Amino acid sequence: MSTDVLTTAPPVKNRSPALGLSWSALGMLPFAAFSVLFLIVPTALLLVRAFEGPDGSFTLNNIVDLFGNPSIVHSFWLSIEISFVTAVAGAFFGFLIAYAIVLGNLPGWVRGAVMTFAGVASNFAGVPLSFAFIATLGRVGLVAFILRDWFGINFNALGFNLYTFLGLSIVYLYFQIPLMVLVIVPALEGLKREWREATAVLGGTTFDYWRYVAIPVLWPSMLGSTLLLFANAFGAIATAYALTGSALTIIPIQLYAQIRGDVLNNPGLGYAIALGMVVITSITSGAYIWLRNWSERWVR
């Protein structure tokens, strides 16, 4: 009686003997190099130059001006306000759209069309977006012309002005709402049917399901997505500058003017403004990442 010996080839070690690293880690080198050159190094430069005076000496005046200069403080608060308004409104309407296409029993082609449009619209900003709204809702825009000449509705007489806080908020919502749809759809898809069935078996209503099951599961994703929208709006400059110019001096426009030297020739103050923006966006982005990871563990 003979026995067959099953032999297997030794596993191929996907590691570099000299470095002790996996060869697959080499794929991270381009990303690491990009992060170092365009994220870490510029941030470190901001941190150093924010404490330099016009003569290159160490100073705290630039940081003090962030809290003591009325125009800079106003610009920061204006940016925070418009970011907060568009983040909350974008999260609300974006959630309703995402709910409709995920849980609303709509035809499959509707979901595909909405997700495709959301992917395009969330990246459509800057000068093209501003021009599109000016040509549509501006003083001589197409919609304003039709409403005025065909229906007797005059936007200007009603107090609407595209080049104000309200108008800029509406323009921002064009890319805020689609971004919310993209980031909240996976969270809605994570709601398991068994949870709703278990609620019904235990005698719970639809309201009970959303109050005790769905909302507790979704709120970290909702809050995190709102923070992401806040950071997205806080750093936007091209759309606001192309639409309003210097009429609304949000902090990115204030930074742009400071770097160009339109007001004061103090590069250190510009670096300090940029550092303040980095701190705010880092806090919101970090909170978003933490909440997203927390919600993913909850769903699992």
Side-chain angles (χ1 to χ4, degrees), residues 173-294:
L173 287 177
Y174 184 87
F175 56 80
Q176 292 281 71
I177 293 176
L179 180 59
M180 180 62 181
V181 173
L182 293 177
V183 298
I184 203 62
V185 161
L188 288 172
E189 291 176 337
L191 295 177
K192 299 178 181 179
R193 180 178 299 178
E194 293 82 357
W195 298 345
R196 183 185 289 271
E197 294 174 350
T199 303
V201 169
L202 295 175
T205 63
T206 301
F207 177 79
D208 295 329
Y209 166 74
W210 281 98
R211 179 181 179 183
Y212 297 107
V213 180
I215 292 180
V217 172
L218 289 176
W219 80 261
S221 298
M222 288 288 298
L223 181 58
S225 301
T226 305
L227 291 173
L228 178 64
L229 296 184
F230 179 93
N232 186 50
F234 188 80
I237 177 176
T239 303
Y241 191 78
L243 183 69
T244 65
S246 58
L248 287 176
T249 54
I250 59 176
I251 196 61
I253 295 180
Q254 183 79 261
L255 172 61
Y256 178 68
Q258 183 66 43
I259 292 176
R260 290 182 56 189
D262 292 345
V263 181
L264 296 174
N265 187 19
N266 185 3
L269 181 57
Y271 284 111
I273 294 174
L275 181 62
M277 294 181 61
V278 168
V279 171
I280 293 176
T281 54
S282 298
I283 293 174
T284 54
S285 300
Y288 161 71
I289 294 174
W290 182 84
L291 287 169
R292 185 188 63 184
N293 294 334
W294 191 91

Side-chain angles (χ1 to χ4, degrees), residues 127-195:
V127 177
L129 178 60
S130 299
F131 174 77
F133 269 87
I134 292 173
T136 304
L137 296 177
R139 297 181 183 277
V140 292
L142 178 62
V143 174
F145 173 80
I146 293 176
L147 292 178
R148 182 181 65 248
D149 291 5
W150 293 9
F151 301 97
I153 301 175
N154 192 330
F155 273 177
N156 295 329
L158 296 176
F160 175 78
N161 188 350
L162 183 63
Y163 314 108
T164 59
F165 183 95
L166 176 60
L168 184 60
S169 299
I170 294 175
V171 176
Y172 273 25
L173 287 177
Y174 184 87
F175 56 80
Q176 292 281 71
I177 293 176
L179 180 59
M180 180 62 181
V181 173
L182 293 177
V183 298
I184 203 62
V185 161
L188 288 172
E189 291 176 337
L191 295 177
K192 299 178 181 179
R193 180 178 299 178
E194 293 82 357
W195 298 345

Side-chain angles (χ1 to χ4, degrees), residues 13-26 29:
K13 295 182 178 181
N14 192 25
R15 292 181 178 272
S16 171
L19 301 178
L21 299 175
S22 173
W23 286 109
S24 60
L26 293 176
L29 288 180

Side-chain angles (χ1 to χ4, degrees), residues 14-146:
N14 192 25
R15 292 181 178 272
S16 171
L19 301 178
L21 299 175
S22 173
W23 286 109
S24 60
L26 293 176
M28 293 295 296
L29 288 180
F31 173 76
F34 181 86
S35 299
V36 170
L37 293 175
F38 298 99
L39 181 62
I40 298 177
V41 172
T43 303
L45 180 62
L46 289 178
L47 184 61
V48 174
R49 298 295 299 274
F51 294 92
E52 288 185 358
D55 57 351
S57 61
F58 177 82
T59 181
L60 294 176
N61 292 334
N62 299 325
I63 304 301
V64 173
D65 285 341
L66 289 181
F67 304 94
N69 190 314
S71 63
I72 295 178
V73 173
H74 172 73
S75 296
F76 265 108
W77 277 115
L78 184 61
S79 293
I80 291 174
E81 289 173 2
I82 193 170
S83 299
F84 177 80
V85 169
T86 58
V88 173
F92 176 76
F93 291 108
F95 178 81
L96 294 181
I97 296 174
Y99 176 88
I101 63 176
V102 174
L103 304 175
N105 297 322
L106 296 178
W109 66 268
V110 175
R111 173 175 177 171
V114 171
M115 294 300 292
T116 300
F117 174 79
V120 175
S122 62
N123 293 284
F124 185 63
V127 177
L129 178 60
S130 299
F131 174 77
F133 269 87
I134 292 173
T136 304
L137 296 177
R139 297 181 183 277
V140 292
L142 178 62
V143 174
F145 173 80
I146 293 176

